[in-house]
C-alpha cells in the first residue's frame, strides 16, 4: 500500500503531464483533456485507508488523469487492498478506456470467480476506470451510459430515533431508513412483547414524519424467517417504503416466500454479487427493490446490467451505500442513467473529503456536471483521516453467550 503523502506530492507532476498532452486536448475539445486516439496508459494503482472504515483507490495514467474508486468490503479493507495489488500487474501499461473488456478479463481470468473480496476489488477498479474514461472525454459518466434519465437524484438518510429524524429533516432529507427497535439481539422465536415493541417504535417515527415522507426499515438479515413474518405483519399498517433483508440475504427461496406473504415491497442486494446473483433474486421474485452496492456487486459496468435485468421484472433500483463519497458519486451516476431508480442510500455527502460535497435540497441531490464521477478529493481536508483499523462488530447473546448477527 502506497503512503497517502506520495499521492499528494504527485499533484504537481500530474498537472504538468496533463498540461503537456498537447494537440490531443485541442482535438478533443475544450472540456476533454485528450483525444480518443491519443495514447493513454495505466501507470499505477494506489489504495488509501480512510476513516472511518473506507478504502479509496487511485488509478494513475500517463496523461495525468487519475481515476477514483472504492474497492472495499466492510471490515476487510486490508484484504481488499491486497486483492487490488494482485490485479495491478494486469492493468499496468494498458489503455484504461475499454472498461467492459477489463471487467471481463479481471473477473474471468481469476478462475475462482466472484465472492465479496474479488468482486469488491473489481468494483472499485471499475469505478476508477469509468472515472478516467469520463475525464478523458470531458463528460460525466452518465453521458457515457446514454445520458441522464432524470434531473436530480433522490437520497435517503439513516435515522433510528426521533431526534435523528428531526436532524435529517432539517438537513433537507425527505426519505429515511431505520432498523427494528429491540432491547436485545433478535432470537429465532420472538415474544409478542418484542414484536409489539418494534412495531410501536416504528409507529412513533411514522407519526413524527407523517404520511408524505418515506420511511424504510432494514432487518439487516438478522431476523429469523418466522419472526420476520410476524414483524412485517405488525408493520404493514404503517407502510414502510420497503423492508430490507427480512431474512438472511443468501436465502432467496425463503425471502421469496416472505415476499409472497405481504404487500410491502421487499428489498435486498447489498450481499448479492454480479448479474448472476441478482438473476436468482429476480427469477424467484424474492424482492421488488434491488440494492446492488456499486462497491460490491461489480461496479458501474455490472450494476448497469443488473438495472436492465430489474427493469424487465418491473423492479426498482435503490443503490446500497454505507460507505464513502466516491461510492456515492458512482451511485449518483448510475441513478442518473437508469429509468427504474428509486432512492440512493448515503451516510456521507463528502464533507471533509470532497472539494465540493454533495448537497441535499428537498430530498434530492443535483446531478454532477464535472467529467467522470464528477468529484475531486480534498486531500488537505483528508490529511487527518488517513488510516483506520475498523472491524466488524462482534455480537453475543447476553443470556447464553451465543453468537448473534449484528
Amino acid at each position: 500500500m502506497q503512503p497517502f503523502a506520495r499521492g499528494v506530492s504527485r499533484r504537481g507532476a500530474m498537472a504538468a503531464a496533463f498540461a503537456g498532452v498537447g494537440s490531443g486536448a485541442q482535438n478533443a475539445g475544450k472540456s476533454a483533456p485528450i483525444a480518443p486516439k491519443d495514447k493513454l496508459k495505466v501507470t499505477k494503482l494506489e489504495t488509501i485507508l480512510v476513516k472511518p472504515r473506507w478504502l479509496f483507490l487511485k488509478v494513475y495514467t500517463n496523461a495525468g488523469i487519475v481515476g477514483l474508486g472504492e474497492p472495499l468490503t466492510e471490515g476487510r479493507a486490508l484484504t481488499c487492498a491486497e486483492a487490488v495489488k494482485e490485479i495491478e500487474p494486469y492493468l499496468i501499461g494498458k489503455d484504461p478506456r475499454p472498461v467492459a473488456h477489463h471487467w471481463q478479463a479481471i473477473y474471468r481470468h481469476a478462475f475462482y470467480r466472484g465472492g465479496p473480496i474479488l468482486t469488491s476489488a473489481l468494483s472499485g477498479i471499475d469505478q476508477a476506470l469509468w472515472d478516467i474514461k469520463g475525464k478523458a472525454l470531458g463528460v460525466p459518466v452518465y453521458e457515457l451510459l446514454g445520458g441522464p434519465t432524470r434531473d436530480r437524484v433522490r437520497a435517503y438518510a439513516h435515522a433510528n430515533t426521533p431526534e435523528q429524524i428531526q436532524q435529517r429533516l432539517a438537513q433537507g432529507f425527505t426519505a429515511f431508513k431505520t432498523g427494528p427497535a429491540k432491547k436485545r439481539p433478535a432470537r429465532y422465536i420472538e415474544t409478542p412483547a418484542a414484536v409489539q415493541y418494534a412495531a410501536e417504535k416504528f409507529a412513533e417515527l411514522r407519526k413524527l414524519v407523517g404520511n408524505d415522507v418515506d420511511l424504510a426499515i432494514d432487518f439487516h438479515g438478522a431476523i429469523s424467517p418466522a419472526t420476520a413474518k410476524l414483524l412485517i405483519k405488525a408493520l404493514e399498517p404503517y407502510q414502510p417504503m420497503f423492508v430490507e433483508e427480512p431474512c438472511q440475504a443468501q436465502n432467496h427461496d425463503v425471502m421469496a416466500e416472505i415476499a409472497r406473504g405481504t404487500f410491502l415491497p421487499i428489498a435486498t442486494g447489498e450481499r448479492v454479487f454480479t448479474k448472476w446473483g441478482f438473476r436468482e433474486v429476480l427469477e424467484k421474485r424474492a424482492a421488488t427493490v434491488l440494492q446492488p452496492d456499486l462497491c460490491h456487486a461489480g461496479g458501474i459496468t455490472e450494476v448497469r446490467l443488473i438495472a436492465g435485468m430489474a427493469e424487465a421484472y418491473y423492479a426498482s433500483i435503490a443503490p446500497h451505500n454505507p460507505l464513502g463519497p466516491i461510492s456515492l458519486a458512482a451511485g449518483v451516476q448510475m441513478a442518473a442513467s437508469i429509468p427504474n431508480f428509486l432512492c440512493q442510500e448515503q451516510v456521507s455527502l463528502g464533507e471533509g473529503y470532497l472539494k465540493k460535497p454533495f448537497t441535499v435540497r428537498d430530498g434530492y441531490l443535483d446531478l454532477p456536471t464535472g467529467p467522470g464521477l464528477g468529484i475531486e478529493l480534498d486531500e488537505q481536508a483528508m490529511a487527518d483521516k488517513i488510516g483506520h483499523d475498523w472491524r466488524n462488530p462482534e455480537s453475543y447473546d447476553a443470556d447464553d453467550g451465543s453468537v448473534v448477527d449484528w
Side-chain angles (χ1 to χ4, degrees):
M1 184 180 302
Q2 298 291 336
F4 181 72
R6 181 172 298 178
V8 175
S9 66
R10 289 178 58 90
R11 294 176 68 181
M14 290 190 294
F18 182 87
V21 173
S23 59
Q26 297 175 1
N27 294 337
K30 293 182 180 179
S31 62
I34 66 173
K37 293 184 179 180
D38 283 355
K39 291 183 178 179
L40 183 61
K41 294 182 179 181
V42 174
T43 58
K44 187 179 75 169
L45 277 67
E46 177 186 12
T47 54
I48 308 159
L49 289 169
V50 179
K51 291 181 175 64
R53 61 173 184 173
W54 306 332
L55 182 69
F56 289 178
L57 168 67
K58 293 181 177 182
V59 176
Y60 294 90
T61 68
N62 64 319
I65 301 174
V66 180
L68 301 175
E70 282 197 53
L72 177 62
T73 305
E74 297 91 303
R76 296 292 183 267
L78 295 178
T79 310
C80 285
E82 188 63 27
V84 170
K85 184 178 179 181
E86 290 177 342
I87 296 169
E88 183 178 29
Y90 162 77
L91 281 172
I92 296 298
K94 289 187 171 64
D95 188 326
R97 288 171 291 193
V99 183
H101 175 75
H102 294 318
W103 196 100
Q104 290 289 322
I106 294 170
Y107 185 82
R108 294 166 62 184
H109 289 165
F111 186 74
Y112 293 100
R113 302 175 181 179
I117 298 299
L118 294 181
T119 313
S120 296
L122 170 57
S123 297
I125 290 171
D126 182 82
Q127 293 169 14
L129 296 184
W130 277 108
D131 192 27
I132 293 170
K133 189 177 183 74
K135 289 174 178 175
L137 295 173
V139 296
V141 169
Y142 60 73
E143 292 288 1
L144 303 177
L145 299 175
T149 57
R150 53 186 37 84
D151 298 326
R152 54 184 186 164
V153 171
R154 196 175 188 209
Y156 69 83
H158 293 191
N160 293 316
T161 66
E163 294 75 20
Q164 291 173 347
I165 289 276
Q166 295 283 18
Q167 292 171 2
R168 303 295 183 263
L169 283 169
Q171 292 173 358
F173 289 99
T174 61
F176 306 92
K177 185 169 75 177
T178 187
K182 51 191 176 183
K183 297 180 180 179
R184 51 166 172 71
R187 298 171 177 173
Y188 283 110
I189 306 297
E190 270 299 355
T191 63
V195 174
Q196 292 167 7
Y197 179 76
E200 289 169 359
K201 289 299 182 182
F202 188 87
E204 290 177 8
L205 297 182
R206 169 57 73 197
K207 183 178 180 181
L208 173 64
V209 300
N211 290 334
D212 290 329
V213 168
D214 284 309
L215 184 61
I217 188 166
D218 183 4
F219 288 13
H220 215 238
I223 307 295
S224 71
T227 298
K229 293 177 182 179
L230 290 171
L231 187 52
I232 288 172
K233 185 176 180 62
L235 291 170
E236 284 180 347
Y238 313 108
Q239 198 172 328
M241 178 167 60
F242 55 75
V243 178
E244 182 174 341
E245 286 194 338
C247 62
Q248 262 301 311
Q250 291 79 12
N251 202 338
H252 296 152
D253 288 315
V254 172
M255 193 174 295
E257 179 186 342
I258 292 173
R260 287 192 295 269
T262 181
F263 57 78
L264 297 179
I266 300 299
T268 192
E270 68 180 273
R271 289 183 276 187
V272 181
F273 313 110
T274 73
K275 66 180 78 70
W276 293 284
F278 281 93
R279 175 182 60 82
E280 184 179 356
V281 174
L282 291 166
E283 288 179 345
K284 294 182 176 181
R285 308 297 202 277
T288 54
V289 178
L290 301 191
Q291 299 170 299
D293 191 310
L294 278 91
C295 296
H296 304 328
I300 292 170
T301 298
E302 192 72 350
V303 173
R304 183 63 185 86
L305 298 175
I306 293 166
M309 293 167 57
E311 185 184 3
Y313 283 84
Y314 302 98
S316 61
I317 300 293
H320 178 260
N321 173 34
L323 298 174
I326 301 174
S327 174
L328 175 60
V332 169
Q333 296 289 332
M334 180 58 53
S337 66
I338 61 175
N340 52 332
F341 167 74
L342 178 66
C343 207
Q344 172 66 54
E345 182 176 19
Q346 60 76 47
V347 296
S348 169
L349 296 174
E351 298 94 340
Y353 299 92
L354 301 182
K355 288 188 175 180
K356 185 180 180 182
F358 290 91
T359 56
V360 182
R361 293 187 298 111
D362 301 323
Y364 289 82
L365 310 177
D366 291 331
L367 295 189
T369 58
L373 295 179
I375 58 171
E376 186 178 358
L377 294 179
D378 187 336
E379 296 180 343
Q380 288 186 341
M382 287 174 52
D384 63 348
K385 302 178 182 69
I386 303 306
H388 69 78
D389 57 359
W390 190 88
R391 298 176 58 184
N392 292 43
E394 298 177 5
S395 304
Y396 303 92
D397 189 282
D399 295 330
D400 63 12
S402 60
V403 172
V404 295
D405 294 318
W406 62 280

